[in-house]
Amino acid sequence: MHVSHRRTAPSQGFGSSDRGTRSKVHITEEHAKYANHGFHSPGPVYPAKSSLAKQEVSNKPSAPGYSFSGDTRFPSYEADKTTIANPTNNGKFLVPGSGTYEPALALGKQADSNKPTLPDFSFGTASRDAESRKFISQEHAKTDYARVSPGPTVCNMKSSMGVQTASTKESAPQWVMGSDQRFRYDYVERGAKCPGAGQYEAKPALGNQVLSKKKTGPSYSFGSCERDQQKKVYISRDHQKDSHGQMSPGPATVGLPGSCGRQPSSKKPTSSSWGFGTAKRFVYNTHTKAHPGPGSYEYQ
């Protein structure tokens, strides 16, 4: 049922759009700045030049290149020297090939002055203790802080109990068990006959205090007064406001006149009333008894 004054509730569902179309929807400038950042820019499509072989850029040096020679390998040098320029060899000189010479290694010390010798590295033979003593800089020296200083177990720590040898530390008092005999002196015998601490009756701190120097604390108990009598005790005007209306008659005490029927108050009009009459029927129509009624006739 479609009613114009009722609001239709929102409905949700799964969208049918794909991710490509969804990514093209513009929300705000901030979303477009971060969500689509770099999507339409060209990717790694630039042809990266190889670092091997000849370099086209002038600021990058080309590495040396090596190749195999196409000349005849292992020519016979023991033959007649006239065969070196023999026309049967198509005018080519029988020179030694690339495999005849022993090329110098690129690693190690270079004999050729045109080639720099690379730095040589090896595992050192020094111990860790000797290596740690080398000074490099002030910052490196901070890492060796407290390595040469004595540890906590080297120093002989004096005990804090007993007699202190250092003058800056005070020795704590000491107690020992006496080695003398007991009950040797007269005052000990006289003290044994005196009453002890358990022979006195200590007065409790609760209840009524006998000594005048001690104040008796307040005591509380449950009252024996009834609630009806407690309500009649006058405390203040503010407390008396809580009893407002308790002695006044309630709504059920006053008899309210009904709003139906005759109203005794002159301010309220009495509404009209109807009733059934008590007079007898057919008192004035006695002559009609001799006449036949509508049911006395018989229709033909």
Side-chain angles (χ1 to χ4, degrees):
M1 180 177 180
H2 300 282
V3 183
S4 60
H5 64 272
R6 294 185 181 179
R7 186 178 181 182
T8 304
S11 60
Q12 291 83 14
F14 292 97
S16 59
S17 178
D18 54 0
R19 293 186 178 181
T21 308
R22 182 65 180 86
S23 61
K24 298 177 182 179
V25 177
H26 177 76
I27 303 176
T28 59
E29 292 294 337
E30 295 295 330
H31 284 80
K33 184 184 297 183
Y34 297 103
N36 299 324
H37 182 71
F39 278 10
H40 303 288
S41 61
V45 296
Y46 302 98
K49 301 297 182 180
S50 176
S51 60
L52 302 176
K54 187 177 181 180
Q55 300 297 316
E56 298 178 0
V57 185
S58 60
N59 56 6
K60 295 183 179 179
S62 299
Y66 305 93
S67 62
F68 292 96
S69 175
D71 203 352
T72 305
R73 299 180 65 187
F74 312 116
S76 178
Y77 296 101
E78 299 299 333
D80 190 1
K81 295 182 179 180
T82 57
T83 58
I84 298 177
N86 194 348
T88 58
N89 296 329
N90 297 325
K92 295 181 180 179
F93 292 94
L94 297 178
V95 295
S98 58
T100 306
Y101 299 97
E102 183 179 356
L105 296 176
L107 301 176
K109 189 176 182 180
Q110 301 295 319
D112 190 357
S113 61
N114 296 326
K115 296 180 180 181
T117 302
L118 296 177
D120 191 9
F121 304 96
S122 62
F123 290 98
T125 58
S127 61
R128 293 186 178 180
D129 188 17
E131 186 66 24
S132 61
R133 297 176 184 178
K134 290 183 179 180
F135 178 80
I136 302 175
S137 64
Q138 292 291 342
E139 296 297 328
H140 286 81
K142 291 181 180 179
T143 59
D144 299 332
Y145 182 75
R147 286 188 177 182
V148 192
S149 61
T153 58
V154 178
C155 302
N156 186 12
M157 302 296 295
K158 300 296 183 180
S159 176
S160 60
M161 304 181 67
V163 180
Q164 303 295 318
T165 55
S167 60
T168 57
K169 296 182 180 180
E170 184 180 359
S171 299
Q174 299 178 355
W175 292 271
V176 295
M177 296 287 183
S179 59
D180 202 355
Q181 296 180 0
R182 301 179 64 189
F183 311 114
R184 180 179 178 182
Y185 302 101
D186 181 45
Y187 70 88
V188 178
E189 296 179 358
R190 288 187 282 107
K193 298 178 182 179
C194 295
Q199 296 182 359
Y200 294 97
E201 182 181 359
K203 299 296 182 180
L206 302 176
N208 192 12
Q209 300 297 317
V210 182
L211 297 178
S212 60
K213 297 180 180 181
K214 296 182 179 181
K215 184 179 180 180
T216 302
S219 59
Y220 306 93
S221 62
F222 291 98
S224 59
C225 183
E226 297 180 357
R227 292 185 177 180
D228 189 16
Q229 297 178 358
Q230 184 66 24
K231 292 180 179 179
K232 298 178 181 180
V233 176
Y234 178 80
I235 301 175
S236 64
R237 289 183 177 274
D238 292 333
H239 286 79
Q240 192 177 8
K241 292 179 181 180
D242 296 337
S243 303
H244 181 71
Q246 291 186 359
M247 301 299 178
S248 60
T253 307
V254 182
L256 297 176
S259 60
C260 298
R262 185 179 179 84
Q263 301 296 319
S265 177
S266 60
K267 297 179 180 180
K268 297 181 180 180
T270 302
S271 59
S272 58
S273 60
W274 294 269
F276 293 97
T278 58
K280 295 182 179 181
R281 300 177 67 186
F282 311 115
V283 176
Y284 304 99
N285 297 329
T286 55
H287 61 279
T288 58
K289 294 183 178 180
H291 298 283
S296 299
Y297 297 95
E298 182 179 355
Y299 292 94
Q300 299 293 330

